[in-house]
Amino acid sequence: MAGPRYRAAAASLLIVEPLDMFTAVFHRPSGVTHLLNEPAPQILEALADEALDMGALLARLAQTYDLADADGSAVLQARLAELEAAGLVERV
């Protein structure tokens, strides 16, 4: 059985503005602006087009970013939980 899949909030619900060290993301439904640092903006970008499970998301991120960390899935799981709690990502 495959694990849960995740997808980013619809682009129409977000205003994304890259800053120097952070990316500001305004979430229209909540009225909250989130300041994100790596890898959270990259995760949102990877989930923008389709819902992905952890393996597929890790593979997509590895195409662009150096994921040499042997426990990348634990880090990714923690970031997904934070993004989900903020309403920027949902589990489907």
Side-chain angles (χ1 to χ4, degrees):
M1 182 170 107
R5 295 179 338 153
Y6 299 87
R7 71 171 168 212
S12 63
L13 301 178
L14 306 175
I15 298 173
V16 179
E17 187 63 40
L19 305 172
D20 288 334
M21 293 179 55
F22 297 96
T23 298
V25 178
F26 178 70
H27 184 241
R28 291 177 194 267
S30 67
V32 175
T33 299
H34 303 275
L35 292 177
L36 306 178
N37 61 355
E38 292 184 354
Q42 292 78 9
I43 293 169
L44 285 177
E45 184 179 330
L47 294 173
D49 296 329
E50 64 180 311
L52 300 172
D53 64 19
M54 285 287 281
L57 178 56
L58 213 73
R60 179 162 298 169
L61 291 170
Q63 291 174 351
T64 308
Y65 305 101
D66 180 20
L67 301 178
D69 185 345
D71 199 19
S73 62
V75 171
L76 183 57
Q77 185 70 38
R79 297 301 77 79
L80 282 169
E82 292 168 357
L83 291 169
E84 187 175 11
L88 301 176
V89 165
E90 66 180 329
R91 199 179 306 211
V92 293

